[in-house]
Amino acid sequence: MAECIFCKIARKEIPAKIVYEDRQVVAFDDINAQAPVHTLVIPKSHFATFNDVGAEEEALLGHMMLVATRVARDKGLHDKGYRLVANCLESAGQSVFHIHLHLLGGRRFAWPPG
Ligand code: DGP
């Protein structure tokens, strides 16, 4: 999508600290980090929310999860633990309408989330 900020990051039209990329996804560090490690995993194709992802994208969603675990390993979190978060719609905290997984780590997290 032309105006989507995460599409622009995927197309390298605006800068981001990209830590992983392949044909389907890009992972880059969050500009407003909430933990020592805060990386976002996005698909290169645009879906505004997880409600917009159909069953035909099952493999893509699984790939996003596996990439998140790979980045967690690369960032030294594999044995320490980490959190994966996906916010869907405003009430859950979604502010960018291009689906993404948050990989958070490097500190202790509370449960339940706020
Ligand atoms: P969410 O609130 O779940 O939609 O998360 C969106 C995240 O995206 C939020 O933690 C901040 C991050 N973010 C927003 N704009 C940019 C940007 O231009 N660059 C980077 N690296 N992160 C961004």
Side-chain angles (χ1 to χ4, degrees):
M1 261 184 99
E3 292 310 311
C4 169
I5 195 155
F6 284 1
C7 285
K8 288 182 179 176
I9 287 174
R11 292 194 300 261
K12 318 279 171 55
E13 291 172 9
I14 60 172
K17 189 170 177 225
I18 292 175
V19 297
Y20 176 86
E21 180 174 12
D22 63 25
R23 189 174 53 82
Q24 298 181 88
V25 304
V26 182
F28 54 94
D29 290 339
D30 195 294
I31 205 168
N32 185 24
Q34 301 299 313
V37 173
H38 189 169
T39 299
L40 303 173
V41 181
I42 68 165
K44 288 185 172 176
S45 39
H46 182 86
F47 302 93
T49 80
F50 281 95
N51 290 336
D52 303 310
V53 183
E56 64 278 13
E57 305 299 344
E58 187 172 352
L60 174 64
L61 294 181
H63 185 61
M64 288 171 65
M65 290 289 270
L66 284 176
V67 166
T69 65
R70 175 187 168 140
V71 174
R73 185 185 296 274
D74 291 346
K75 293 205 175 233
L77 296 175
H78 202 252
D79 296 325
K80 293 179 180 151
Y82 53 89
R83 183 171 286 184
L84 298 178
V85 174
N87 298 322
C88 183
L89 299 179
E90 289 95 339
S91 65
Q94 185 175 6
S95 60
V96 176
F97 284 77
H98 178 126
I99 62 168
H100 48 282
L101 284 180
H102 295 257
L103 164 66
L104 295 144
R107 68 169 172 84
R108 182 162 281 276
F109 298 104
W111 192 263

